[in-house]
Each structure stands twice: as structure tokens, then as C-alpha cells.
Amino acid sequence: MIVKSMNESALYSIGHAFGYYDYGEETGMVYAFFGQEPTAQYICAYVRGMLRGGFLHTTSERGEGYIAYKRPKEKLGFKTLWPIATGMLHNSSMKRLMRFAMAIKKGGKSLQERMDKEKKPYIFVGMVCVCEKYQGQGYMRKVMDIAFAEGDRLRVPVILETDARSKCDKYVHLGMERSPERATSVNSEKCTISSNIQMPFRQKRRAKAAAGEGVPSAEKARRTGRTAIFIKGKKPLHRTGGGAFMVFCNKKTSFRQIVKKMTD
């Protein structure tokens, strides 16, 4: 559901979850600001911008988790960008921000930049957050399912970027695929920028079929009362290894019928 309004307490709960995240040996986006609390305040400003632009969604009225994403061809606009820009400048400096941006740029092009260059449509997720009191209860998946469902509806991939390997691993666990990492280092501080992508359901299904994944084995076909027939050189319904094609049919269906179906 789209978030229409939010009180300051709910806003800060999102900011605090980001600003005080445990990066371990990595630094993450905290290095771009004056510390953990300034990072939290910047995230609050970012959420205000997403809220004003109509890009902020939540799992329910209780606000267990939030996600901000942009659909293909949608523009953020001045009313969205202004709170974000002021939040950056109030909690960091131009020198610090430029140094962080240059370090990220040295890591190479992002997945978003590559897709923009190829003019491929996608949904870009700018923020994902599960409030601290709801963490560890499965809300991360529910939050991401909001964007995944929209990606399936529009038949476009969903992409996002993270600033730590630990975060990236969570998205991979939820079914996203990891693109090559862009490791950066600023004054010996480590920061790993990773892009993740989730393909629409139909595209994933086609990709699996082309790779021969998800195809029942001959033994499974025998147990379920279906006959496995291998035919060389015919148009495939399911591809398997070795250039053969496996077709499943009920035992009542004749061999001649299945061959006719494949050659039509």
C-alpha cells in the first residue's frame, strides 16, 4: 500500500535502522556523512522526499516495513529531490560527498547505468527497510514482494543497489541475482556496492526452460503415471542435455499423437 502520511516517530525509526546498521568490517554509506546519527537524519530526509513524490510503500497500516521504488519512465521531480538534496548538505559536506561519489565511480558502471544505456525498462528500488522491532519476523520478504509483484505486472526486472555484502546476501536469499560487485575504498575504509536484480516471473520461467531446469526426470514421470519419450531433432517442449528433447504425456496418449503434436 502507498504511504500517504507519516509521523516523525515512524520517519526516525527508518532513519535509525539505516544509520545504526552494523556493517562489521565494512563502512557503507555512513562514510559519506558525519557519522551514524547524521546518516539517520539523511535517511529521514530521503523518506520525506519519497513520501512527497508518492514513491513510498509499506506492508500494512502498522508500518512493519517500507520500500521506495520508481517505475519505468517515472520522474522523481523537484518536490521529491529537494528534501533529499537538503538532507545531504545538512548532514555532510560537498568535499565528503564528492570523495565518496568518486570512489564509487572508480568501481565501474552500475547495473542501473548499463540498463539505461541499453534503454531497457526496469523498476529501481531506492530504499528497503524493516523497522527494528519487526526485524527477524519475515517482513523483509513481504516488503520486497511489493516491488516483485509490480515487476511481474509490468513484466520488467526489479533492480537495487546495496552498500554492504551482508545486505546483498539477504536479497540473494529472497531470490534476487547478484551482479558483479563494485568494491571501493576511501582512505582505507571499505565499501562494497552490489547490484541485485529480480526478473519477472514469466522471464524466469522461460530462462529455466531454456536451461533445462525444472523438468521432471524420467523416474518421476514413471512414478506419476506419465511416459517419458525422447525424440531427436524435433522442436522441443522441454530441453534436456545431449540434444534430446523430453516430452511428457498421459499413458493414454499414443506415441503417434505426441509425434504429430511436435511436428505440427
Side-chain angles (χ1 to χ4, degrees):
M1 59 180 288
I2 296 179
V3 182
K4 300 292 186 182
S5 61
M6 181 181 290
N7 58 42
E8 287 298 314
S9 176
L11 267 170
Y12 187 71
S13 67
I14 299 174
H16 190 274
F18 270 90
Y20 291 88
Y21 179 81
D22 182 10
Y23 285 93
E25 295 181 356
E26 295 183 286
T27 303
M29 66 181 297
V30 175
Y31 188 80
F33 299 94
F34 293 132
Q36 291 181 313
E37 184 58 28
T39 302
Q41 292 299 328
Y42 162 70
I43 293 297
C44 290
Y46 181 90
V47 174
R48 289 189 187 97
M50 294 294 108
L51 179 64
R52 291 175 62 178
F55 299 103
L56 188 64
H57 303 256
T58 185
T59 48
S60 73
E61 293 181 355
R62 292 191 301 171
E64 303 93 346
Y66 296 88
I67 184 169
Y69 64 82
K70 183 178 73 68
R71 299 177 183 87
K73 298 183 180 180
E74 281 187 328
K75 304 295 183 183
L76 295 181
F78 179 80
K79 67 178 181 180
T80 301
L81 294 173
W82 179 249
I84 298 173
T86 55
M88 278 187 178
L89 295 176
H90 287 164
N91 296 284
S92 185
S93 64
M94 285 300 298
K95 182 179 179 180
R96 184 180 286 264
L97 290 171
M98 288 296 294
R99 189 168 51 192
F100 189 73
M102 290 300 295
I104 292 176
K105 188 175 181 180
K106 288 179 182 178
K109 288 188 176 181
S110 67
L111 178 60
Q112 183 184 10
E113 290 172 327
R114 296 197 300 269
M115 294 188 73
D116 284 340
K117 185 177 181 179
E118 296 171 6
K119 297 182 178 180
K120 293 181 178 179
Y122 59 87
I123 288 175
F124 181 76
V125 176
M127 184 204 75
V128 180
C129 178
V130 176
C131 296
E132 289 169 302
K133 66 179 180 179
Y134 295 110
Q135 291 178 3
Q137 302 176 41
Y139 284 105
M140 182 78 163
R141 184 176 297 277
K142 293 180 180 179
V143 169
M144 292 305 302
D145 281 347
I146 297 172
F148 292 164
E150 188 66 9
D152 286 342
R153 186 182 72 84
L154 298 176
R155 301 183 184 181
V156 297
V158 176
I159 67 174
L160 58 80
E161 290 196 341
T162 62
D163 59 345
R165 288 191 180 95
S166 57
K167 293 182 180 181
C168 186
D169 292 341
K170 294 177 183 178
Y171 294 117
V172 171
H173 177 71
L174 295 177
M176 301 191 82
E177 298 176 17
R178 188 198 314 243
S179 73
E181 293 179 347
R182 293 182 290 139
T184 65
S185 179
V186 186
N187 289 355
S188 300
E189 297 285 351
K190 297 179 181 178
C191 176
T192 301
I193 306 298
S194 299
S195 298
N196 297 65
I197 183 168
Q198 168 78 9
M199 301 301 293
F201 174 73
R202 292 187 180 184
Q203 290 185 23
K204 287 194 295 183
R205 187 169 58 186
R206 291 194 205 104
K208 283 188 175 183
E213 298 177 12
V215 181
S217 64
E219 175 60 23
K220 183 176 179 180
R222 184 188 63 76
R223 293 198 308 268
T224 55
R226 294 186 294 174
T227 304
I229 303 173
F230 290 84
I231 302 175
K232 286 274 188 177
K234 302 296 181 182
K235 183 179 179 181
L237 295 183
H238 293 289
R239 183 180 295 275
T240 63
F245 302 113
M246 183 181 290
V247 180
F248 293 96
C249 62
N250 295 327
K251 288 185 177 180
K252 292 182 180 179
T253 305
S254 68
F255 181 80
R256 182 172 296 179
Q257 287 176 318
I258 197 65
V259 172
K260 184 177 184 302
K261 183 177 180 181
M262 292 190 68
T263 55
D264 283 344

